[in-house]
Amino acid sequence: MTERGLIDPPTVNDERHPSDLAEILERVLDKGIVIAGDIKIDLLDIELLTIRLRLFISSVDTARKAGIDWWETDPALSSRAARDTLAQENADLRTRLHALESRIGAEELSTVGAAEEERRP
Amino acid sequence: MTRAEPPTLTYAFAVCRGDGLTDPAEPLAELPGLGTGAPVRTLAAGPLTAVVQDVPAAGYGEAALRRRLSDGAELERCARAHHAVITAASALAPAVPLPLATVYLDDGRVREALGDRQTSLLTALDRIAGRVEWGVKVYAPTGPPPEAAPAPSDGPGSGRAYLDRVRTRQRGREQRHTLALRAAERVDTVVRGLAVAARRLRPHGVEVTGKHRTHVLNAAYLLDLGRERELRAALASLRHDEADVRIELSGPWVPYSFVDGGITDAGATP
């Protein structure tokens, strides 16, 4: 809990302050009304999630400053097992990313296919 | 290069009603925003006002922005800056948050884009006026269940005893998970009762929650201002009754989850 004070005021047991990085990212990345800007950041929902996960996994120090410190209390992520866990998580994420990418690819193909069918008289 | 100054783009944070956020909005001008040196300012667009900032094209063009947001530290910086401006704007007037990285070529394009969406933006502003969002997360512990002392009858080395133990543990886990899901539903029902709208968000995976707990409810609720005390009282009582799960509250938030039309699932059951 001592680390939390860097950004967050100390909070009650089951209360999360609105400045928690996880909560901010959850809302800022996924929410807000959709108005297309001129600059196209073609980050699909899935990609945003991937970035978010990568942030959590890779940027432990930054996140801890933001009050996210679950790995410190999680025995599976303590120094003893940290390396194995990260490798495993990396592998898992890679597998999931591949699956999602191929699904998106398939969906795009089917959209194109549907559009072509519509064009036909 | 004869250009006197580098080209700038217009980054848009939020949209308010024109009469709600009048120029000059001084508290906004004091914000660093994205830290480009330009002030955070308001931009009138018909009945609406956008909260914007000039950003250098070199740093916020398509490729640069993509690179920026792929970098964890930079993503965090941008998300926090974006969130800070939106929160400050909504303290002055109801504000519809725009997604991270909403960038236009110039002010004229912002006016055009807002003009195209004028009706839905005004509807969204009506929906969130005088209301705030609260986040409620419910977690179930995933650690080993409090284990009863193994029955000594079969002896410690028996294979059957081992299988029994495994089976009992598995059953216990499933049972606890079902109970946690039910507790989450009860929490949801109570908080929904206080809210004008509710929305289930994507539960976090173990990457975020940690392996020692499972996310069984991730929900956002839109509450009228002034119901905070009721909400806290309800949660205190829920925490007392649902001792097996952990209930976390976050907020108040700008109603990020309730500005988009047609997304509220106020009466829906999961």
Side-chain angles (χ1 to χ4, degrees):
Chain A
M1 287 305 274
T2 50
E3 294 278 351
R4 291 182 73 103
L6 285 173
I7 287 175
D8 289 347
T11 48
V12 200
N13 237 355
D14 293 316
E15 190 111 350
R16 295 167 75 102
H17 195 264
S19 69
D20 260 8
L21 179 60
E23 299 266 358
I24 289 178
L25 285 174
E26 174 167 52
R27 284 175 168 77
V28 166
L29 293 184
D30 293 355
K31 306 295 152 18
I33 205 159
V34 177
I35 295 191
D38 292 332
I39 308 300
K40 292 274 179 279
I41 298 302
D42 216 5
L43 295 172
L44 296 171
D45 202 24
I46 305 299
E47 287 174 288
L48 288 172
L49 184 65
T50 314
I51 290 174
R52 194 161 76 194
L53 295 184
R54 201 162 64 215
L55 170 68
F56 283 124
I57 293 162
S58 70
S59 180
V60 167
D61 280 338
T62 317
R64 187 191 293 126
K65 282 178 197 154
I68 301 169
D69 53 3
W70 45 260
W71 50 81
E72 291 177 340
T73 52
D74 186 351
L77 292 175
S78 69
S79 58
R80 175 170 42 85
R83 215 174 308 141
D84 292 351
T85 313
L86 277 181
Q88 181 60 44
E89 276 180 356
N90 264 333
D92 286 354
L93 283 174
R94 228 171 273 139
T95 315
R96 283 170 57 191
L97 183 59
H98 282 312
L100 287 167
E101 274 174 343
S102 55
R103 207 165 71 197
I104 290 167
E107 270 170 19
E108 274 171 4
L109 281 180
S110 67
T111 320
V112 171
E116 274 171 3
E117 280 197 4
E118 267 178 24
R119 257 200 305 276
R120 259 178 240 139
Chain B
M1 292 300 267
T2 52
R3 203 171 294 173
E5 46 188 290
T8 59
L9 303 167
T10 309
Y11 184 107
F13 295 93
V15 178
C16 304
R17 270 183 196 279
D19 54 3
L21 197 64
T22 43
D23 203 39
E26 272 154 29
L28 296 181
E30 284 164 15
L31 294 173
L34 292 159
T36 60
V40 175
R41 60 190 169 90
T42 55
L43 171 65
L48 299 166
T49 294
V51 178
V52 301
Q53 184 175 32
D54 289 337
V55 293
Y60 289 83
E62 191 168 330
L65 204 44
R66 192 182 299 275
R67 237 186 347 264
R68 197 183 279 279
L69 298 182
S70 302
D71 170 358
E74 194 52 16
L75 173 71
E76 175 181 357
R77 197 186 69 83
C78 290
R80 283 188 183 284
H82 189 80
H83 177 65
V85 174
I86 288 170
T87 306
S90 82
L92 302 173
V96 163
L98 299 181
L100 187 71
T102 304
V103 186
Y104 294 94
L105 294 175
D106 53 36
D107 287 6
R109 282 287 305 132
V110 178
R111 288 197 188 92
E112 249 176 79
L114 263 52
D116 291 346
R117 298 293 302 271
Q118 192 171 303
T119 313
S120 69
L121 285 166
L122 289 171
T123 309
L125 283 164
D126 284 344
R127 183 165 42 230
I128 62 171
R131 292 166 174 167
V132 286
E133 174 174 334
W134 292 90
V136 175
K137 290 177 159 61
V138 178
Y139 297 95
T142 55
E147 206 153 350
S153 56
D154 284 349
S158 147
R160 175 185 304 222
Y162 170 76
L163 287 176
D164 279 348
R165 267 204 308 278
V166 170
R167 215 173 4 241
T168 310
R169 207 179 311 147
Q170 178 62 25
R171 233 190 336 256
R173 253 201 298 270
E174 281 164 13
Q175 217 162 40
R176 279 191 314 153
H177 191 67
T178 310
L179 289 176
L181 285 175
R182 281 194 204 136
E185 291 310 319
R186 287 192 293 271
V187 171
D188 182 53
T189 306
V190 169
V191 185
R192 254 169 215 265
L194 300 171
V196 291
R199 192 178 177 193
R200 292 288 186 101
L201 308 180
R202 180 175 31 220
H204 291 163
V206 290
E207 298 87 348
V208 178
T209 62
K211 285 206 165 82
H212 62 299
R213 56 184 192 171
T214 321
H215 214 162
V216 285
L217 177 73
N218 187 13
Y221 302 92
L222 187 65
L223 263 71
D224 285 327
L225 278 169
R227 301 203 75 171
E228 180 172 349
R229 192 193 298 243
E230 274 174 274
L231 173 67
R232 289 186 190 281
L235 285 181
S237 139
L238 282 165
R239 283 188 188 120
H240 181 262
D241 297 343
E242 314 288 351
D244 294 337
V245 295
R246 185 181 172 88
I247 305 170
E248 283 182 357
L249 173 70
S250 75
W253 294 89
V254 179
Y256 278 100
S257 307
F258 299 96
V259 289
D260 213 346
I263 46 85
T264 53
D265 56 343
T269 46

